[in-house]
Amino acid sequence: MDFGVVLQTDPPAWRVIDLARRAETLGFSYGWTFDSHVLWQEPYVIFSQMLSATNRMVVGPMVTNPGTRNPTVTASMFATLNDMFGNRTVCGIGRGDSAMRVLGHTPTSLATLAESMKVIKGLAEGREVEYNGTRQQFPWSAGSRLNIWMAAYGPRALQLCGEQADGFILQLADPQITEWTVAAVRRAAADAGRDPDDLYVCVAAPAYVGDDLAHQRDQCRWFGGMVGNHVADLVERYGDTGGGMPQALTDYISGRQGYDYAEHGKAGNIHTDFVPDDVIDRFCILGDASSHIARLAELRDLGVDQFAIYLMHDAKDETLSAYGQQIIPALGI
């Protein structure tokens, strides 16, 4: 199992770069940031410094979208970074939640996402692509390789992920939901004539190592609100069943009453009181090191290739240390 760390690009930027550098020394091989350019600082500027400050770490957004960023610009950014640092990037992508909604837009359609993934991957890897009725190719790019991992929850998005993406990102660490979604994307890959075992699976969720479970829950309750935004879209589209999604994912949003993106991804978010403790316990990984090891072993057995820890709480350094000194070694990394 690989390990990644997901950071917010809150100022000062040097703190993000320092955490990425330290994470690599502790055994983390992926460094991620959110991509919401109004709420936080511009991640693609920081990516260059993260790559410069590390030696092996693969860096990318969790996740970008084709609405706020033109796909040809996104492709150019990745191809440039790969040329500078040697193919050490990955493109996490989705329809767009905070980045789009904070600007008054709705997330992009799956059709737009599908076309954008083709454009980004093709251009970034030096091929000619069709875009907006034109043929485009980077004359300066050679040898770049870019994997595109798609974030998804609902049935149609999971199907697209299996049909087209190189990897799947699930933003929660519940084993039941993980099993259901991984099976769905692999089934879609097989139906599309692809090898389902080639699909890389990344689970991303808050991880907090400590002894005060009540405090840990309060620090990570924001995550249930973030996931709830996506679930609310599914319930609106498919009804209470969420298109066949496990009730463990859809039931808890019944008490949801709006959302303020000014508090998105922040501990203490006052719009997440509707999220019960049991959801936090399932969606996140809390408790002492042994609790983390047990959950991660379960996820690994379900086919998860990477666990990326959301490091948005008041014990960033302590949690990184616990992973580097106890948890990653215990899982054979």
Side-chain angles (χ1 to χ4, degrees):
M1 177 180 275
D2 298 325
F3 286 85
V5 58
V6 187
L7 305 166
Q8 279 180 346
T9 54
D10 285 320
W14 66 260
R15 172 63 167 157
V16 179
I17 297 158
D18 183 63
L19 285 168
R21 181 192 299 113
R22 182 159 179 257
E24 183 181 66
T25 67
L26 291 169
F28 290 83
S29 52
Y30 286 81
W32 304 90
T33 75
F34 279 15
D35 178 7
S36 193
H37 63 284
V38 173
L39 297 178
W40 304 292
Q41 290 185 325
E42 172 56 42
Y44 294 145
V45 175
I46 295 173
F47 288 160
S48 186
Q49 293 297 313
M50 289 171 65
L51 287 162
S52 181
T54 57
N55 297 308
R56 300 170 305 280
M57 179 173 277
V58 176
V59 170
M62 188 172 286
V63 295
T64 193
N65 72 87
T68 58
R69 300 191 185 273
N70 182 283
T72 65
V73 176
T74 299
S76 181
M77 184 278 298
F78 281 114
T80 301
L81 289 177
N82 282 341
D83 183 64
M84 292 173 66
F85 297 102
N87 290 334
R88 289 171 53 206
T89 66
V90 59
C91 178
I93 195 167
R95 295 173 56 224
D97 177 37
S98 61
M100 291 290 284
R101 295 187 197 272
V102 78
L103 294 174
H105 300 302
T106 58
T108 62
S109 69
L110 287 175
T112 296
L113 178 57
E115 183 60 27
S116 297
M117 288 194 292
K118 293 177 183 177
V119 171
I120 293 168
K121 186 174 179 68
L123 284 176
E125 294 189 339
R127 295 187 295 278
E128 185 180 75
V129 304
E130 182 175 345
Y131 175 76
N132 195 33
T134 68
R135 302 297 299 180
Q136 300 293 336
Q137 187 173 18
F138 296 153
W140 47 267
S141 177
S144 174
R145 292 292 178 266
L146 179 67
N147 284 328
I148 295 187
W149 299 354
M150 179 181 158
Y153 292 106
R156 290 178 56 211
L158 293 167
Q159 180 179 350
L160 173 60
C161 180
E163 291 172 345
Q164 186 174 332
D166 300 303
F168 166 49
I169 295 174
L170 175 64
Q171 295 178 87
L172 53 79
D174 178 277
Q176 177 188 355
I177 298 169
T178 299
E179 184 174 22
W180 190 91
T181 54
V182 169
V185 294
R186 286 185 170 159
R187 184 168 55 250
D191 290 344
R194 309 175 73 197
D195 185 345
D197 291 333
D198 288 343
L199 196 76
Y200 190 98
V201 177
C202 174
V203 162
Y208 190 133
V209 180
D211 299 321
D212 188 344
L213 190 56
H215 178 72
Q216 293 175 63
R217 286 168 175 159
D218 286 342
Q219 284 285 299
C220 297
R221 201 172 304 276
W222 64 267
F223 183 67
M226 187 192 84
V227 174
N229 296 331
H230 302 284
V231 175
D233 285 345
L234 293 175
V235 171
E236 182 178 355
R237 178 182 296 273
Y238 298 107
D240 291 341
T241 62
M245 291 291 290
Q247 286 186 293
L249 179 59
T250 58
D251 282 355
Y252 84 97
I253 68 162
S254 59
R256 181 178 182 269
Q257 297 179 354
Y259 191 81
D260 183 357
Y261 279 91
E263 298 186 345
H264 187 66
K266 295 181 179 179
N269 186 328
I270 63 173
H271 296 276
T272 58
D273 290 344
F274 71 92
V275 182
D277 288 349
D278 70 290
V279 166
I280 301 305
D281 292 346
R282 290 189 291 107
F283 284 14
C284 308
I285 305 185
L286 311 177
D288 60 16
S290 64
S291 299
H292 289 247
I293 292 167
R295 176 78 68 83
L296 290 168
E298 187 176 3
L299 292 172
R300 181 184 58 189
D301 291 344
L302 292 172
V304 173
D305 298 298
Q306 178 184 155
F307 179 60
I309 65 172
Y310 278 26
L311 208 60
M312 294 97 176
H313 51 62
D314 61 2
K316 295 179 179 65
D317 293 290
E318 295 84 353
T319 294
L320 274 182
S321 294
Y323 265 75
Q325 295 169 11
Q326 302 175 65
I327 297 166
I328 293 176
L331 291 160
I333 305 303

